[in-house]
């Protein structure tokens, strides 16, 4: 705690940027939030002010600032790759929200840029830092379930506020990409080779013509024979539901529970219990842990636990899903 | 299945007798329900008829019948001891519902009678035959929790149909006696030495003046230092709730769950799940298992798993509770 | 209990026949096991004898016997359809184990035969009679989860004793057919239109060349938009694992738990608890309930809860899976 | 976040002081840790330094400092009351760890001092700020279980490092006092009237002669008829175990689970899952929440959620327990 703090500039003052700014500013010893950059007039100011950080509208001011050690990219997804490349070229350590890129070509550009610059890049796959998933991974990695045969992951969000504003394929590139990374992580050393996605607009069918997909099931075949499924829905009536399962030759590990607390209420109709209503209830500690891991990786010069090549692997599956839905069947994944 | 069946006569055609008659007649290979005895005209007939058993109004006909190998005593509790003594003198194997006796003197008479006659007597402490409790006992008996330090048991029934007809002290002699036997069983080799009972009529306070006690908490100190609590209520709004816990020097085992099934319903208000509504849901298999154990003990000439001395031990605690409530404090147990 | 019992002849004295014979003979008031037929010399005798039933080697003796009201077909699967047709033509009520047929043409023949003869046929989809699944179905059928969007079902068996003797495609026609029927039942009024099966021999890869498939994941698209996944493995190291889940516009219901009891053991390494080791632990009561339902349907002249058309629907999906594996991708289902 | 921060001085740099210092310094927007006072040379310095707070050895410097708005008393328990009185006289807002006092006379002095000075005093009963307990209390307070009849609370700590250094009666005044406050809180409007404590040295019997009590069961009778039990052990082999239960005329609420995470590992021996190993895993968020509540109460001039009269009520039960153990039976509580 006595060493020089890591000075981080946040790029993108939206919903997730607001969440991350608070963590960087208030919950991480050894980290200082020095600047918030956002092109929208007032947005950077509003977020930076209470934390005593500098507000910036031109992101290049951040890259040019010698007092910025690292950037946290929480801008619109389409800008992630370009900003990552620019940050790498400026020699900044990079925390980049998922997805790191929207195409494999973009992802390759980021990989090359950070490797050339020799800067660390950590991707915002927060489940890798959630205690439950970490414990499950430890069991898998130590052989506790043998060789993985069947894997599952699901993400169901509590609601779809404005279906007309959801970009096409969001369910794959923004939502299920978390599950794809998780499945890759839980099947160590294996690589996805084939994908089948079945998807529809069941929550908001009126928006299907505009490209909305709000419900999806994905089957992934890995080169070690393991078969994984992932599903997502944009509207879980009961709240927020993220669960995982890895079944292998020697056992199974399951992770997650839609229940929020240990409270159980037994009354005349039976048992009732509260469910989680927001992802932050599930992931609050994980958000802190992922930035602590980033801080430590930068400080120690060690590679981040989840880097640009991992991001490319998850993206590869997401893009395969889009292709599968368009083709109406199973597709081999590009390497 | 090809050996001669054990011929059992049921004595007492009330609620629990009806339950046991069905088990003896339909669910136990190797057992035949040959007669049902009840002094109430028509009661024996009504129960015996559908099973093709003989109806008897004078119980001595049962004792005198050479074609009866064993009796199942499900009469009014106050008659249990006398019927057990008479059955022993007639050389019948005995299954006796709890409580086996209402006083320690009565219990001693039964113990002497069955030991003199050399007949087996098994008491209806059904939890000893419920799979969950058996598994817990195996863990305790094999040292899985070390030496017991703290024990708990509770029994909460779904309702109190007719509070005006509940005999005084029923909560101790009929209800908690199950918990007392369970606690004794889960603390192998130890003996209760001291008891404190705190009790009241909270469910039906209007009946307190008539002697009703419907809510009770009992603390038992054992000669190995272990301390147990048991509680009971005659009115659980959510159904039927029997649970146990044994905490020791090396761990803890818990038993029971008021939930009835594995079904969980998640909807907008949260999680809901059904609870058990009757003791038969919990104990159905245990009722069959206790009679199977009785059949096997009689057939093999081995002592029943839970015999008259166990019944006396549980009764000793129940009587101590009555004394404690009357004295308003802790009492040493009679040996 | 006083009415004339239903006289049932069992056809096929193998493993499941042995299970069902005991239920018919010992656990079902109002049912009598009158005969056991099996072409293997001694097999019928061995099973029929202890129950006092007649042993038959030529099945036609059963069909010709006017004292047989109903047959329970538990023979080899390939004979199910022919035996069902013959039984129907003999005017017997039919309980047929799954699969009712091996091809859609066979299934159609059975449907026609029973409809022409006017006899009831119930298929052995036992999960429809398991209390947990029934409770879940009640929730779904009463609108408790809204319109189904995502469904899941899994079946994992404790072991694969003799992989060399497992007929090809068993995982679909014998194992997952249970899941397919369950999913159809949990998505009332909808029909499967498309299926993708991904399958492999991961448990016993040496037997793959002989046609063994021991691990499979199936995705089903229904005509109401719902998407279902089912998975199966022939080797769950922890025991027997059957679970289900229905997620819809208004909520979710989950069913099943690999844990066997409510016992929890907490010790120095953490929590441990026993898991189920056999399907009978899960399904024992369901086996009794399905025959009770069959008895009542025959007695009351009402259609069985799960009939030949349901069997055909589940088979349709199983056959689509085989086609999908052979084609290496998604297939439209034959109507 | 833009208002003037609350300036807090911590008094007592021991184990709990170290925990609280970190929360005050790093996790609470709107609070500043300005000083740490401890008479042990170096102790205050060691704790204050990394947080940029002032180190003080004479606590009167804290009371005299106009730049200190509030004190957090985490000294040795025997000093709590005197320090609270001195802080009140100095006009400081007070957060005082439990127990607030060691005798009822001391407690009365504190109550009088803070009421005379008009300063807020909040006691460190952290369970009142743990999400699970808060949710349970909401259910109880809103009538969800009707009138409380039976209550339970337990505290089992993972180990007893140095039994020779545990002050006599610690189990009541330091450990179970949490449970007593919880039970009082969960039985709103009622007052304890009678207590029976059964206690022993079962974990470390060699230290019993020195006054050690490491295992205790307490029964409390309230003036509304409700009966509560609390138990504690200084050595839970499986970790840290705090649970509660309130059973009433219309239902039951249960709180707590010794399991740490949602991870479940199923393998050949059955299910295993990790348990909690430290109270901080359970209470980490509660520690932050209690100081946030304190900050808000001071800022808004509202009375703290748990004040000096609550502390006196819990102490009253703890002192009754000591009397009960010494008397060997039930005691009426002093008012």
């Amino acid at each position: 705690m006595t060493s020089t703090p890591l000075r981080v500039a946040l790029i993108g003052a939206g919903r997730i940027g607001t969440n991350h700014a608070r963590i960087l500013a208030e919950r991480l010893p050894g980290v200082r939030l020095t600047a918030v950059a956002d092109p929208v007039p007032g947005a950077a100011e509003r977020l930076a002010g209470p934390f005593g950080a500098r507000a910036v509208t031109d992101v290049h001011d951040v890259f040019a600032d010698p007092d910025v050690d690292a950037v946290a990219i929480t801008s619109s997804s389409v800008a992630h790759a370009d900003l990552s490349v620019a940050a790498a070229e400026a020699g900044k350590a990079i925390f980049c929200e998922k997805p790191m890129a929207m195409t494999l070509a973009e992802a390759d550009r980021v990989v090359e840029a950070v490797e050339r610059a020799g800067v660390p890049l950590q991707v915002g796959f927060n489940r890798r830092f959630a205690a439950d998933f970490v414990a499950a991974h430890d069991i898998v990695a130590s052989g506790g379930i043998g060789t993985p045969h069947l894997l599952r992951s699901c993400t169901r969000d509590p609601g779809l506020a404005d279906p007309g504003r959801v970009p096409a394929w969001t369910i794959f590139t923004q939502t299920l990409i978390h599950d794809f990374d998780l499945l890759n992580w839980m099947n160590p050393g294996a690589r996805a080779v084939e994908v089948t996605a079945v998807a529809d607009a069941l929550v908001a069918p009126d928006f299907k013509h505009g490209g909305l997909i709000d419900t999806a099931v994905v089957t992934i075949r890995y080169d070690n024979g393991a078969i994984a499924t992932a599903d997502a829905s944009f509207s879980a009536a009961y709240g927020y539901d993220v669960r995982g399962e890895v079944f292998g030759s020697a056992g199974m590990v399951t992770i997650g529970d839609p229940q929020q607390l240990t409270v159980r209420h037994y009354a005349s109709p039976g048992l009732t219990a509260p469910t989680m209503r927001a992802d932050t209830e599930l992931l609050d500690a994980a958000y802190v842990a992922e930035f602590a891991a980033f801080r430590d990786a930068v400080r120690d010069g060690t590679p981040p636990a989840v880097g640009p090549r991992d991001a490319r692997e998850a993206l590869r599956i997401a893009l395969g899903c889009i292709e599968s839905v368009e083709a109406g069947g199973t597709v081999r994944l590009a390497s």
Side-chain angles (χ1 to χ4, degrees), chain A residues 175-196:
Chain A
T175 304
L176 281 162
I177 203 161
H178 278 296
D179 301 84
F180 301 150
D181 177 64
L182 182 82
L183 294 166
N184 289 341
W185 186 46
M186 291 288 181
N187 193 9
R191 203 171 185 220
V193 291
E194 191 187 286
V195 73
T196 313

Side-chain angles (χ1 to χ4, degrees), chain A residues 26 36 47-48 73-74 92 111 133 144 158 171 177 187 208 216 250 252 277 305 329:
Chain A
E26 295 184 341
V36 174
L47 187 53
I73 301 174
T74 54
K92 307 301 186 195
V111 170
F133 287 99
I171 201 164
I177 203 161
N187 193 9
K208 191 176 176 179
M252 171 174 70
R277 295 291 152 174

Side-chain angles (χ1 to χ4, degrees), chain A residues 7 9 34-35 54 56 60-69 90 92:
Chain A
R7 296 162 301 179
T34 53
R54 193 157 61 92
V56 174
H60 297 101
D61 291 357
V62 162
F63 296 137
D65 186 345
D67 290 338
V68 167
D69 304 312
K92 307 301 186 195

Side-chain angles (χ1 to χ4, degrees), chain A residues 237-264:
Chain A
Y238 50 93
Y240 192 76
D241 183 6
V242 165
R243 283 173 289 148
E245 179 177 318
V246 191
F247 172 94
S249 57
M252 171 174 70
V253 61
T254 61
I255 316 125
D257 188 337
Q259 293 180 73
Q260 184 197 11
L261 299 168
T262 66
V263 175
R264 304 287 176 269

Side-chain angles (χ1 to χ4, degrees), chain A residues 110-205:
Chain A
V110 178
V111 170
E112 284 157 31
V114 300
E115 293 186 351
R116 195 167 47 233
V119 295
L121 182 151
Q122 181 175 321
V123 187
F125 289 132
N126 42 51
R127 291 182 205 176
R128 294 215 190 194
F129 301 91
D132 287 90
F133 287 99
V134 169
H137 186 258
D138 287 350
I139 291 168
V140 171
S142 64
I145 61 132
T147 307
H149 288 177
L150 296 167
L151 301 97
R152 277 181 172 180
S153 181
C154 76
T155 303
R156 289 136 183 202
D157 286 320
L160 184 55
D162 193 351
R165 298 191 52 187
V166 177
W169 308 122
T170 287
I171 201 164
F172 298 120
T173 59
Q174 302 286 337
T175 304
L176 281 162
I177 203 161
H178 278 296
D179 301 84
F180 301 150
D181 177 64
L182 182 82
L183 294 166
N184 289 341
W185 186 46
M186 291 288 181
N187 193 9
R191 203 171 185 220
V193 291
E194 191 187 286
V195 73
T196 313
V198 180
D200 211 334
L202 300 179
V203 176

Side-chain angles (χ1 to χ4, degrees), chain A residues 23 27 122 125-131 133 280 282-293:
Chain A
I23 290 167
R27 300 193 52 189
Q122 181 175 321
F125 289 132
N126 42 51
R127 291 182 205 176
R128 294 215 190 194
F129 301 91
F133 287 99
T280 45
L282 181 72
L283 293 170
D284 186 59
Y287 283 129
V288 175
E290 73 176 353
F291 280 109

Side-chain angles (χ1 to χ4, degrees), chain A residues 160 162-164 200-209 212-215 234-235:
Chain A
L160 184 55
D162 193 351
D200 211 334
L202 300 179
V203 176
D206 293 353
F207 292 84
K208 191 176 176 179
H209 65 90
L212 182 72
I213 295 292
D214 53 39
T215 306
F234 282 168
S235 185

Side-chain angles (χ1 to χ4, degrees), chain A residues 247-325:
Chain A
F247 172 94
S249 57
M252 171 174 70
V253 61
T254 61
I255 316 125
D257 188 337
Q259 293 180 73
Q260 184 197 11
L261 299 168
T262 66
V263 175
R264 304 287 176 269
H265 182 198
Y266 298 87
S268 168
L271 164 69
T272 54
T275 44
M276 275 187 293
R277 295 291 152 174
D279 64 349
T280 45
E281 289 177 56
L282 181 72
L283 293 170
D284 186 59
Y287 283 129
V288 175
E290 73 176 353
F291 280 109
F294 176 64
R295 174 198 63 198
D296 294 349
V298 175
R299 178 189 289 162
D300 304 344
T302 52
V306 48
R309 289 179 182 277
D310 299 305
R312 189 191 187 279
E313 280 302 291
L315 177 68
R316 207 173 138 250
I317 299 175
L319 298 175
C321 289
I322 298 171
E323 200 186 327
S324 171
V325 171

